[in-house]
Structure formats: structure tokens, C-alpha cells
């Protein structure tokens, strides 16, 4: 059965065509079941809406998804809305993956060097009892609490994880990154998502 995937990306990667190669690769397959996913992205409406409306659109787009795919371009790691979408996906419990898109030729048939891994700039810390986590983002080489999801930075876990008490975890330790071309994304994308 095809899964619903939320695609998170920097809008410039849509303008250069790279993000759409991944998001729309199902169009060249017999059907979405074979592709293995439905795109739940909202980028078409983004530029027309304000801050609160945009947050609401992201939250609604994520509602019926089980996967989030972060399309990694040159500046994806510093984009505030991408960070929000990743953290919101994490709190929701989505399976999260990253896919480098700079190796995909753009509309001028050019590629770029790989962008920085956005998961290196996001993390969370367990409290000493392992009952709560606090979200963090790395900005200006400093880890600071991230409170844009539900206007708070600390969340109660459904079950305590005592062995993790006090531990800090970067998202890059937890989530896998793929390269669209090298890792054969066209054929394997459906396997990458849960």
C-alpha cells in the first residue's frame, strides 16, 4: 500500500527543478502503488500565506502522513521552516529520512556540491529521569532550545526511557541520509520510507 509522505525542502530547490525530480518521480511509473507514496507537500500555497496560516498549513499537511522526506539542497540546513517541519514530524512520530538533491541536474543540466546535513543542526536531550525530551537547534555554533512546535521546547514521552536519562541526541545519529542518484532513489524510494 502506498504511504503518505510529507516532503520538506527549501523553495529554491523547487525553482531549480531538483526537488520536483524526487517529489514527482511517481509520474513515470504505472501508478502510485508501485511508486509507494503520495506527496503531501504544500509548497504551491506557501508564498501566499502569512506565518500563522503557514504553520497551520504545515500541521494540516502532516496530519495523515507517516513519513517525512527532507530534500537536502545547498541551504536546507538553515531554513527555519524546514527545521519546523522536521521537529513537528519528529514530535508527531513520523519516520524521517533525508535525500540529497544537489546531485540531480537542474534545468540548466548542472549539479552542485552536496548541501550540509540538516540533521547535524537539530537534536534533543532527555531529562535525567528519561521522561521528557527538550528540542534543540544549532545556530551560530551554539545549541539553543527550540520552542516553535506547540510553543514549547519540552515534551513528555509516552513511556520513560531511563537508560537515556540526560543524553543528548543529534538527529544525524538517528535518521538516515540518501543520495538520490548514487543510492538509486528512482527505484528504491519506496523502500526508504516505512
Amino acid at each position: 500500500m502506498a504511504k503518505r509522505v510529507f516532503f520538506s525542502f527549501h523553495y529554491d530547490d523547487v525553482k531549480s527543478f531538483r526537488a520536483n525530480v524526487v517529489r514527482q518521480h511517481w509520474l513515470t511509473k504505472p501508478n502510485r502503488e508501485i511508486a509507494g507514496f503520495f506527496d503531501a507537500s504544500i509548497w504551491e500555497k506557501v508564498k501566499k500565506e502569512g506565518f500563522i496560516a503557514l504553520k497551520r498549513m504545515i500541521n494540516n499537511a502532516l496530519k495523515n502522513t507517516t513519513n517525512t522526506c527532507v530534500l537536502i539542497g545547498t541551504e536546507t540546513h538553515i531554513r527555519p521552516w524546514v527545521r519546523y517541519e522536521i521537529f513537528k514530524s519528529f514530535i508527531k512520530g513520523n519516520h524521517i529520512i533525508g535525500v540529497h538533491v544537489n546531485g540531480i541536474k537542474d534545468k540548466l543540466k548542472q549539479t552542485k556540491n552536496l548541501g550540509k546535513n540538516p540533521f547535524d543542526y537539530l537534536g534533543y536531550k532527555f531529562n535525567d529521569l528519561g521522561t521528557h525530551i527538550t528540542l534543540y537547534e544549532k545556530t551560530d555554533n551554539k545549541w539553543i532550545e527550540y520552542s516553535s512546535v506547540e510553543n514549547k521546547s519540552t515534551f513528555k514521552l509516552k513511556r520513560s526511557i531511563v537508560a537515556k536519562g540526560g543524553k543528548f541526541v543529534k538527529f544525524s545519529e538517528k535518521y538516515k541520509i540518501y543520495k538520490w542518484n548514487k543510492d538509486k532513489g528512482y527505484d528504491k524510494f519506496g523502500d526508504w520510507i516505512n
Side-chain angles (χ1 to χ4, degrees):
M1 185 167 128
K3 299 143 182 115
R4 289 188 56 86
V5 178
F6 182 86
F7 287 93
S8 177
F9 48 87
H10 180 217
Y11 190 73
D12 281 355
D13 294 319
V14 170
K15 291 190 296 187
S16 73
F17 185 67
R18 290 182 177 96
N20 285 340
V21 168
V22 178
R23 291 180 56 230
Q24 296 178 356
H25 81 275
W26 69 270
L27 291 170
T28 61
K29 297 194 175 187
N31 60 51
R32 287 181 187 241
E33 288 296 322
I34 290 171
F37 74 98
F38 289 93
D39 182 357
S41 299
I42 57 161
W43 70 270
E44 291 85 358
K45 300 175 186 176
V46 166
K47 294 287 184 183
K48 301 175 188 170
E49 302 293 333
F51 177 82
I52 293 186
L54 178 55
K55 214 172 185 180
R56 190 176 307 120
M57 284 184 355
I58 291 168
N59 294 345
N60 285 335
L62 278 165
K63 273 186 183 169
N64 295 315
T65 64
T66 55
N67 289 266
T68 297
C69 177
V70 182
L71 301 178
I72 304 168
T74 305
E75 295 184 1
T76 308
H77 71 288
I78 58 172
R79 305 308 301 165
W81 286 112
V82 169
R83 289 182 175 197
Y84 175 81
E85 291 164 347
I86 295 169
F87 276 128
K88 186 70 179 179
S89 296
F90 172 71
I91 293 301
K92 182 184 176 301
N94 273 17
H95 171 69
I96 302 172
I97 63 169
V99 177
H100 281 288
V101 296
N102 277 357
I104 298 170
K105 290 181 180 175
D106 65 13
K107 56 189 168 189
L108 302 174
K109 307 288 186 219
Q110 296 178 354
T111 61
K112 293 183 176 182
N113 292 331
L114 294 181
K116 292 183 180 179
N117 181 350
F119 301 152
D120 285 337
Y121 296 83
L122 307 176
Y124 56 95
K125 183 177 181 181
F126 290 91
N127 69 346
D128 290 337
L129 298 175
T131 58
H132 292 74
I133 58 166
T134 301
L135 304 177
Y136 286 88
E137 68 175 331
K138 192 174 187 180
T139 305
D140 297 326
N141 281 335
K142 295 179 194 153
W143 286 98
I144 59 171
E145 286 189 25
Y146 183 88
S147 60
S148 291
V149 176
E150 300 176 21
N151 296 318
K152 60 184 180 178
S153 61
T154 301
F155 294 83
K156 184 172 176 43
L157 296 172
K158 291 179 181 167
R159 59 180 176 81
S160 296
I161 306 174
V162 179
K164 303 280 185 181
K167 182 178 178 178
F168 184 85
V169 179
K170 284 195 329 186
F171 276 39
S172 55
E173 297 170 29
K174 183 174 175 65
Y175 297 117
K176 189 152 173 87
I177 299 286
Y178 299 93
K179 295 175 185 160
W180 183 255
N181 291 339
K182 184 180 177 198
D183 294 324
K184 298 180 173 62
Y186 179 82
D187 296 318
K188 306 264 184 176
F189 186 80
D191 296 332
W192 297 347
I193 56 178
N194 282 343

